[in-house]
Amino acid sequence: MTRAETPAILAALILAGLLTTACNRSEAPTDQGLTTEQIIQKYRSGVPMEKAIGPIARALASGPVFSGTDGQDSGDPRKINLKTNSDREGRQWLYAYSSQAEFSKAFPQGGPFVEMSFADLLGIAEANPQFAWIYINSASDGNCPILREQFRGAKEALRGGSPPPSGQGN
């Protein structure tokens, strides 16, 4: 390589790097400025859940989630009884809401609830095998069931990684 070729090669490398960066930025959908509810609706509309779980989990992690409780004081602040339900197969799920407004849609008369991080709620669900899924915003058009098989992808997204390929569940 001659001395005259060096600047041309450097310029080509720099330009290639800038073009790659620009292309990567334009390919990634932007969720900036969207509410958590809008992000959930955006990714639940025709996007396979294995691709949607990352953006949805990150959106839920951007603020607290609200989960109904039975209102009973166990005397231990680390022990709460979250509202759950069962599907037709008898699998239990946890309810969670992305905002107090979403909680109010499900419980218009109000009711006891706990506010926590999505990571904590996910940890509770994952640690208890009786929970088959977490049902986000159940009373909304933008509801989102997160199945146990998707918990690992949600956790990975919260750590800043990409969800595992489909079929590699928990």
Side-chain angles (χ1 to χ4, degrees):
M1 176 173 11
T2 67
R3 191 176 244 188
E5 293 173 318
T6 303
I9 292 172
L10 284 174
L13 290 173
I14 291 169
L15 183 58
L18 290 175
L19 287 176
T20 301
T21 301
C23 289
N24 288 342
R25 274 195 215 126
S26 67
E27 290 171 4
T30 179
D31 296 328
Q32 204 167 19
L34 297 179
T35 67
T36 299
E37 293 79 17
Q38 289 169 328
I39 291 170
I40 291 170
Q41 284 186 318
K42 174 182 174 180
Y43 286 96
R44 288 293 294 146
S45 301
V47 177
M49 194 58 178
E50 62 266 11
K51 292 185 186 217
I53 191 63
I56 289 171
R58 285 188 293 273
L60 289 165
S62 69
V65 295
F66 301 83
S67 190
T69 68
D70 65 4
Q72 302 297 315
D73 185 0
S74 68
D76 183 349
R78 294 171 297 159
K79 293 184 180 180
I80 52 174
N81 293 318
L82 299 174
K83 283 198 182 278
T84 64
N85 209 336
S86 297
D87 63 18
R88 290 187 180 124
E89 287 83 40
R91 299 174 301 176
Q92 281 193 313
W93 72 79
L94 286 170
Y95 288 108
Y97 303 90
S98 58
S99 66
Q100 285 183 321
E102 289 293 331
F103 181 86
S104 294
K105 288 179 185 177
F107 302 98
Q109 304 303 318
F113 66 88
V114 64
E115 182 177 332
M116 67 178 84
S117 72
F118 176 66
D120 287 343
L121 183 73
L122 184 60
I124 290 168
E126 187 175 45
N128 294 285
Q130 77 265 21
F131 295 127
W133 43 306
I134 301 171
Y135 198 11
I136 306 293
N137 298 342
S138 64
S140 176
D141 290 338
N143 64 56
C144 179
I146 299 175
L147 304 178
R148 176 167 284 282
E149 294 79 27
Q150 296 153 347
F151 290 177
R152 181 171 171 226
K155 283 179 60 178
E156 187 65 30
L158 295 180
R159 285 193 295 265
S162 297
S166 180
Q168 293 191 8
N170 208 4

